[in-house]
Amino acid sequence: MLGFHKIPTVFEYEDFVSCGQSVPYVRLIGESWPMTKERSYFEATALKHQHSLSPKHVPEVYHFDRTMSLIGMRYIEPPHIILRRGLIAGIEYPLLAEHMAEFMANTLFYTSLLYLTTTQHKNAVAEFCANVEICRLTEQVVFSDPYKISEFNRWTSPYLDTDTEAVRNDNNLKLEVAELKFCEKTQALIHGDLHTSSVMVTQDSTQVIDPEFAFYGPMGFDIGAFLGNLFLAYFAQDGHADQGNDRKSYKVWITDTISGTWNLFHKKFTSLWDKHKEGPGEAFLYAIYNNVELWELVKQKYMTELFHDSLGFAAAKMIRRIVGVAHVEDFESITDLVKRADCERRALDFAKMLMKKRRNFNTITDVISAAQ
Amino acid sequence: MLGFHKIPTVFEYEDFVSCGQSVPYVRLIGESWPMTKERSYFEATALKHQHSLSPKHVPEVYHFDRTMSLIGMRYIEPPHIILRRGLIAGIEYPLLAEHMAEFMANTLFYTSLLYLTTTQHKNAVAEFCANVEICRLTEQVVFSDPYKISEFNRWTSPYLDTDTEAVRNDNNLKLEVAELKFCEKTQALIHGDLHTSSVMVTQDSTQVIDPEFAFYGPMGFDIGAFLGNLFLAYFAQDGHADQGNDRKSYKVWITDTISGTWNLFHKKFTSLWDKHKEGPGEAFLYAIYNNVELWELVKQKYMTELFHDSLGFAAAKMIRRIVGVAHVEDFESITDLVKRADCERRALDFAKMLMKKRRNFNTITDVISAAQ
């Protein structure tokens, strides 16, 4: 299911229940690309779990019908809109970074081995392994197709023809993409598709929806998806600028939101870790790491690796939205193709650099400087 | 089940069937440490799969009774003996490196994403996630207990008291142990306990048994277990030397076997990868990596990482056999405690160095030089 906002609402009860139903194919492509309806089971399961971990930022599921692949959940009422639309319109959301950091810190920390016992973790990993069809879809459209000739790829042609070919011929880039090991890391229960159309917002509310791609995977895939899509919005702003609004101050807000998201995530995630350092988590037993210096080193090493992972995934998510099958409205809504291609090229060049040099960045501020 | 050779044989049919049965506790500790008998299901499943992948080096399973936790399999006839006993006795096995390299290359390659589709791989990962109790046991006795105070730890006291304390206080060592991420990598179906007592040998036959610890984990854990145990045998030789045999030439054979195992594994594993480069495996699609230079780079990067992983796990397996709960007969059979402690200390110092500096080694020959 792709969320109630994108598909016909089946029924609504007095505006506080919203329902969505899976279709047995990939919506973007159509019936020629079949896809299991069972993904709605994983969406419902993930929604319930994420709601329990981050209740303010995930709608409650009231009912799930597996036979019908139908989810009934809290209706996210107007004036909530899809975040991507807000970013295109140039609307600032002052609490977005704070809320997304909270959502990611809670859902990732509490489903990782930093909090769970090995038994709990492996049982959960096993359950979500069955969401493999959708995991393969991600693998194909994010990590494979953009780097080879594929009937599904498209780009702003002819302007980006050379750039697209360059992606396919960039050996270092392709080596670094493989290094991300999307399919072999069972770090935490990830949303799996955390772009800016999976988030609904108002000035004071942020709701994360559509976790149909959820499985136990690398945390950096979620963090990177969100940051990468904010970077796409950033690079699209010049295409949305007009005489009334040059979008310069909005670009500053976007970069502040990018740095805020990572920095607040870092703070909240490590706080949770500190809070539960003597908890059930078996990855770093406090009996082993219980001196101040070592404990700080452990966290620093873990967070640095997660930061570099997140940057790599951010880059992968950006690249695939420019040369792969699924594009973003941030760019698609720029009708002047020359202007659009120019925005896309700058985003693509930044993403390629980020993928290859991600381990050289120590702070999110440095990453933003590179983008500017 | 710990293999027919260690437990009472329940029945034998004309010398070619051997049976073993799980007990509901950890054999080494006794009934005070309960352990699921279901591990025999995973042992039988892994044995069957490994036999299909490496038939010359894994006995065939004829019958498995899940209710009885009973495995009936090919009897490994005399003069096969447990490899560890042979190493203590100073017996050379000229084909050991070749055979173990073949076993590891076949069982690891064909169960990894280099050969399997994501769907096949995730289904298999899910199945073996249920072997979690035994996976937790490994986590505890290999990666946790040796680095903290634990009632189960023991060492050659008082000679190694200071050394044992030093392990618990070595921050860099503990950071590096955590880096191995034993529980988060689902790289391939690993044997999970591939030490020199899980291998039975003659001059021309090598049989790998007892995969009750099997699960989808890091390949380096198997390779490291075998290499680490050969290094333990190497460091124990001075304790077995006497006037009749100074063991010097035997030490050369052991180091030759260590280098032979890794180098032949490297050759066989990359050959399988080349052979199946256009096969079903989805980790490195040939359509993306199909130029000679890039293909070589991909393999080189993968094998270097696997080498460093293997060295880390080898070090972890050595350390835990000296300061953890389960020791090895290689050292235990040295009755002179001063001599035993001296051998153990040199092994421990080497292992600590190997854990911390593993990424500085480029070849197995360099590792062996460091041991010498």
Side-chain angles (χ1 to χ4, degrees), chain A residues 2-13:
Chain A
L2 291 171
F4 73 91
H5 55 282
K6 293 182 203 157
I7 60 168
T9 299
V10 180
F11 57 82
E12 287 179 16
Y13 286 125

Side-chain angles (χ1 to χ4, degrees), chain B residues 17-248:
Chain B
V17 177
S18 171
C19 284
Q21 204 172 13
S22 290
V23 290
Y25 50 83
V26 178
R27 199 171 297 266
L28 179 74
I29 306 291
E31 296 183 23
S32 63
W33 193 333
M35 183 52 58
T36 171
K37 287 167 71 181
E38 264 298 274
R39 63 190 193 271
S40 66
Y41 167 76
F42 297 102
E43 174 167 1
T45 307
L47 269 174
K48 286 178 199 168
H49 199 50
Q50 289 170 343
H51 173 75
S52 75
L53 297 172
S54 194
K56 279 190 283 184
H57 304 302
V58 181
E60 190 174 354
V61 171
Y62 299 128
H63 178 73
F64 173 62
D65 184 317
R66 196 163 182 170
T67 314
M68 297 279 284
S69 305
L70 187 141
I71 301 174
M73 61 185 179
R74 182 168 68 76
Y75 176 58
I76 303 176
E77 70 291 346
H80 280 96
I81 61 165
I82 294 293
L83 172 57
R84 197 185 302 282
R85 300 265 165 82
L87 294 167
I88 293 166
I91 304 167
E92 297 186 10
Y93 298 97
L95 298 175
L96 180 64
E98 170 85 25
H99 289 169
M100 288 304 294
E102 188 172 313
F103 168 80
M104 294 193 295
N106 283 336
T107 57
L108 298 178
F109 175 81
Y110 285 112
T111 59
S112 76
L113 279 167
L114 301 182
Y115 180 75
L116 298 180
T117 66
T118 306
T119 306
Q120 294 169 321
H121 188 259
K122 276 226 186 294
N123 289 342
V125 168
E127 182 179 12
F128 277 91
C129 272
N131 201 17
V132 60
E133 249 195 83
I134 204 116
C135 195
R136 277 191 83 176
L137 175 63
T138 300
E139 199 179 31
Q140 176 177 344
V141 300
V142 180
F143 300 102
S144 299
D145 280 357
Y147 304 94
K148 66 185 183 68
I149 290 170
S150 159
E151 58 177 315
F152 301 112
N153 289 343
R154 59 188 186 84
W155 57 89
T156 307
S157 186
Y159 311 101
L160 295 186
D161 288 2
T162 317
D163 304 80
T164 303
E165 200 188 339
V167 167
R168 293 198 303 268
N169 293 327
D170 191 331
N171 286 358
N172 285 334
L173 183 70
K174 296 197 283 187
L175 275 174
E176 287 297 342
V177 172
E179 274 293 292
L180 292 170
K181 300 196 181 70
F182 174 67
C183 274
E184 281 181 7
K185 281 185 200 158
T186 57
Q187 211 173 10
L189 178 60
I190 64 174
H191 177 285
D193 199 25
L194 198 53
H195 54 71
T196 48
S197 293
S198 293
V199 181
M200 297 193 72
V201 284
T202 66
Q203 288 300 302
D204 45 28
S205 164
T206 306
Q207 301 295 318
V208 180
I209 55 174
D210 288 356
E212 64 177 340
F213 285 76
F215 78 111
Y216 273 73
M219 294 180 183
F221 190 68
D222 272 4
I223 305 163
F226 188 66
L227 298 183
N229 275 270
L230 287 181
F231 272 118
L232 289 175
Y234 171 82
F235 284 104
Q237 291 306 315
D238 289 350
H240 303 310
D242 55 31
Q243 289 182 327
N245 184 347
D246 64 6
R247 297 283 181 125
K248 279 187 183 158

Side-chain angles (χ1 to χ4, degrees), chain A residues 139 143-144 148 171 174-181 184, chain B residues 109 112-116 118 187 219 269 273 276-290 294-295 297-303 305:
Chain A
E139 197 179 33
F143 301 101
S144 298
K148 66 185 185 67
N171 286 359
K174 296 197 283 186
L175 274 175
E176 288 296 342
V177 172
E179 275 292 294
L180 292 170
K181 300 197 180 68
E184 281 181 7
Chain B
F109 175 81
S112 76
L113 279 167
L114 301 182
Y115 180 75
L116 298 180
T118 306
Q187 211 173 10
M219 294 180 183
F269 189 91
W273 196 354
H276 296 288
K277 65 188 173 189
E278 295 182 75
E282 292 186 286
F284 295 90
L285 292 181
Y286 197 60
I288 298 176
Y289 298 94
N290 61 352
L294 182 57
W295 189 249
L297 272 171
V298 160
K299 285 190 293 186
Q300 198 182 315
K301 208 166 176 181
Y302 191 97
M303 297 310 285
E305 199 176 308

Side-chain angles (χ1 to χ4, degrees), chain A residues 328-357:
Chain A
V328 287
E329 208 182 319
D330 309 66
F331 292 132
E332 299 291 290
S333 59
I334 303 168
T335 47
D336 178 337
L337 290 192
V338 174
K339 209 183 263 185
R340 184 199 298 178
D342 188 52
C343 292
E344 289 178 321
R345 184 179 297 110
R346 281 186 292 121
L348 184 62
D349 287 344
F350 168 73
K352 285 166 62 179
M353 178 283 298
L354 191 60
M355 179 72 83
K356 290 187 269 192
K357 306 279 183 203

